[in-house]
Amino acid sequence: MKTINTSVITENVARMCQEANFLLGEDVMEAFKKGCETEVSNTGKEILQILIKNAEIAREEQVPMCQDCGYAVVFLELGQDVHIEGGDLYEAITEGVRKGYTDGYLRKSIVGHPLERKNTGDNTPPVIHTKIVPGENLKITLAPKGGGSENMSQIKMMKPADGVEGVKNFVIEVAKNAGPNPCPPVILGVGIGGTMEKAALIAKEALLREIGSVNEDPEMAKLEAELLEKINNLGIGPQGLGGRTFCLAVHIKTYAAHIASLPVAVNINCHAARHKEVVL
């Protein structure tokens, strides 16, 4: 059985908080560059070039790529043969977020109570999702989530009779209503099935998939491609100023559903599609 000390977890979470905000993934950068080649709007091309330069400056100078440094969302895959020593696992993660955001001079965006609105001052608490999996490793994925894109995300409890056409219409409607608000170009994570909260969770998990990867389900791969084309045909474009590069990718995850239900969630990520992971 592997033993992992909580100090190691805290150290890695703190590092990832900063790296996620400073270092945009290569898959996103490549999608920007591809967009520059295919974008029909001159304004859209210029915006994409600015976003590329912005990401390069963030990487070189180790500064946040966006002023909204996000809500620290953490996905854990905890091996069932792992022993955590030295304290509470969730407290270790929380301390890592506190340290990462404080030492990295990252903007603190979290209020302790949704109605009283007093800032906690250190970007805690994080949101933590845990899966128990076989093995003796602990995989930590940290995905800072900006408020603007999260605010435009939606969930709908559809009727099974709405079917795939109903799903398409809802996803396109969410994208259209979002417009410039989530700082496009965006990535859409779509969760279909499960219960209300499960659909929302797998929609967010779908955002972690590498841009350019192909869905393992051939039918969902076709649906992703169709939705991407139709959404980009809306003409919203980068930053909502017109063009075709509004959406970089549509990623779909599905789960078993009740015979009476068809939950569909759309989680939108902005152009600062940030996430880092480590396996301990």
Side-chain angles (χ1 to χ4, degrees):
M1 176 176 285
K2 180 186 287 186
T3 299
I4 302 174
N5 193 280
T6 52
S7 63
V8 175
I9 296 169
T10 295
E11 177 185 341
N12 276 275
V13 170
R15 173 182 55 80
M16 287 192 293
C17 285
Q18 296 181 38
E19 289 184 354
N21 275 284
F22 300 161
L23 312 175
L24 189 62
E26 287 302 317
D27 60 329
V28 185
M29 288 289 279
E30 286 302 313
F32 286 167
K33 293 172 183 177
K34 182 179 178 181
C36 285
E37 297 172 0
T38 59
E39 180 55 65
V40 296
S41 162
N42 289 331
T43 300
K45 286 183 180 180
E46 184 178 355
I47 290 169
L48 290 167
Q49 290 165 357
I50 290 171
L51 293 178
I52 291 170
K53 184 63 176 177
N54 180 75
E56 290 172 346
I57 292 171
R59 179 179 294 270
E60 292 166 3
E61 299 189 12
Q62 296 289 282
V63 295
M65 66 190 76
C66 177
Q67 53 81 26
D68 183 350
C69 297
Y71 207 134
V73 180
V74 181
F75 295 91
L76 299 180
E77 292 186 15
L78 177 62
Q80 57 191 17
D81 297 322
V82 173
H83 174 64
I84 305 296
E85 67 173 11
D88 181 89
L89 171 59
Y90 284 11
E91 282 299 321
I93 293 169
T94 300
E95 181 58 30
V97 172
R98 179 179 294 113
K99 179 176 174 56
Y101 274 76
T102 300
D103 293 352
Y105 301 99
L106 305 177
R107 196 186 85 180
K108 290 80 176 175
S109 303
I110 305 307
V111 295
H113 190 286
L115 299 180
E116 295 174 359
R117 312 304 293 180
K118 182 180 178 181
N119 199 300
T120 61
D122 55 14
N123 220 61
T124 67
V127 169
I128 304 173
H129 303 289
T130 305
K131 288 181 181 177
I132 306 298
V133 298
E136 56 177 17
N137 293 322
L138 171 62
K139 180 180 178 181
I140 307 172
T141 302
L142 185 131
K145 191 65 167 64
S149 59
E150 191 75 355
N151 287 348
M152 302 313 298
S153 302
Q154 293 188 38
I155 186 167
K156 185 174 184 179
M157 302 303 293
M158 304 180 69
K159 299 185 293 293
D162 292 329
V164 68
E165 290 303 317
V167 172
K168 291 178 190 177
N169 292 337
F170 175 61
V171 175
I172 294 169
E173 177 188 7
V174 171
K176 184 177 180 180
N177 290 340
N181 294 322
C183 291
V186 300
I187 301 169
L188 298 187
V190 181
I192 306 173
T195 52
M196 183 181 72
E197 80 281 4
K198 183 65 175 180
L201 178 57
I202 62 177
K204 183 161 262 117
E205 289 176 347
L207 294 174
L208 303 175
R209 213 179 88 203
E210 183 177 349
I211 296 176
S213 61
V214 179
N215 198 309
E216 295 178 354
D217 182 333
E219 290 304 312
M220 291 304 99
K222 292 178 183 177
L223 182 55
E224 288 177 350
E226 180 182 348
L227 285 169
L228 181 63
E229 179 72 13
K230 289 182 175 180
I231 289 167
N232 281 329
N233 283 340
L234 294 172
I236 299 170
Q239 294 298 295
L241 295 176
R244 281 192 46 79
T245 318
F246 171 73
C247 185
L248 300 177
V250 177
H251 291 162
I252 298 174
K253 288 194 76 170
T254 62
Y255 199 80
H258 190 281
I259 56 173
S261 302
L262 178 57
V264 182
V266 181
N267 198 241
I268 303 180
N269 215 351
C270 63
H271 67 81
R274 300 162 291 194
H275 54 86
K276 297 296 175 185
E277 66 179 47
V278 66
V279 178
L280 303 177

